[in-house]
Amino acid sequence: LGSPDFAAEDGPPGDGGEDAAPPPGSVDSVDSAFRSLALVHGLGRSPDTLARAASRSYARHDLRSALAYCAAIDADDPYCTAAKYVHVACLVGLGSRRGLYRLAHRLVDSDPRDSLAWFAVGSYYYLIRRYDLAQRHFSRATRLDPGRAECWIGFGCSFAACDESDQALASFRAAQNKLRGGHVPLLYMGMEYL
């Protein structure tokens, strides 16, 4: 994976002579805002900018781009946690066992009292289908930081993989309480009812 390039055109080609700005909230306006941050303001390598770009790519289910943004943050500052949850989720989504194993070990070695480290370990065990161990580590992550919805969602997914619907739904409800207004825990609850 190469480093992210905000200057590249991501949207459909225009006629080049347009003075009108794209509508706010459209894909083109967000892409042009990221290009502006990178080219005009010199924030293309800022961890905050890269973290927002990674989150946006992940939300659009462009896991490879999101992983490239996370890798760029990691290359500049391996201890920056701005997009580590997205980084872990991308590695799980892409099935990268080795990469997730290395990241989880590094996070545990750097701070074993951080819920992110145990979330990464739980995600690794989830990826290799050792759901009992995944539940144990997600449980530890939720004890260390009960306010992290990501940990509760991982906990719920590990229960759902074992057909333990009641525990899965309880975990997804806990995530919904932590992430008010978010749609992701509701989506997982709906999938559990299917």
Side-chain angles (χ1 to χ4, degrees):
L1 296 173
S3 68
D5 183 13
F6 287 115
E9 290 295 325
D10 293 330
D15 63 4
E18 299 173 356
D19 289 330
S26 72
V27 172
D28 290 336
S29 70
V30 175
D31 289 339
S32 67
F34 276 121
R35 276 193 296 281
S36 173
L37 283 172
L39 300 174
V40 176
H41 302 289
L43 296 173
R45 300 294 298 177
S46 163
D48 292 329
T49 303
L50 292 171
R52 293 290 180 193
S55 296
R56 181 171 175 270
S57 293
Y58 182 78
R60 293 172 63 194
H61 202 66
D62 184 2
L63 299 180
R64 296 212 181 272
S65 292
L67 186 59
Y69 291 126
C70 292
I73 295 171
D74 210 33
D76 288 343
D77 183 5
Y79 298 105
C80 178
T81 60
K84 285 292 191 233
Y85 284 97
V86 173
H87 195 169
V88 170
C90 288
L91 292 171
V92 170
L94 294 170
S96 178
R97 293 178 182 183
R98 184 174 292 143
L100 185 54
Y101 181 83
R102 288 180 186 148
L103 178 62
H105 266 278
R106 191 171 37 131
L107 291 171
V108 169
D109 288 344
S110 69
D111 188 4
R113 294 177 312 271
D114 187 11
S115 66
L116 170 62
W118 299 108
F119 171 77
V121 173
S123 297
Y124 171 75
Y125 284 117
Y126 178 83
L127 182 61
I128 64 169
R129 294 187 168 102
R130 295 288 310 271
Y131 302 120
D132 56 328
L133 293 173
Q135 290 169 7
R136 185 180 310 159
H137 291 95
F138 284 132
S139 175
R140 186 171 185 176
T142 58
R143 280 194 314 267
L144 288 170
D145 187 0
R148 285 308 287 201
E150 294 89 345
C151 298
W152 287 104
I153 290 171
F155 203 16
C157 288
S158 64
F159 282 122
C162 296
D163 288 330
E164 297 177 21
S165 292
D166 292 339
Q167 290 93 339
L169 288 171
S171 296
F172 296 143
R173 277 190 217 98
Q176 182 62 33
N177 289 335
K178 311 305 179 213
L179 194 62
R180 293 278 180 199
H183 72 282
V184 175
L186 292 173
L187 179 67
Y188 279 104
M189 280 188 252
M191 289 182 349
E192 190 60 28
Y193 281 113
L194 292 178

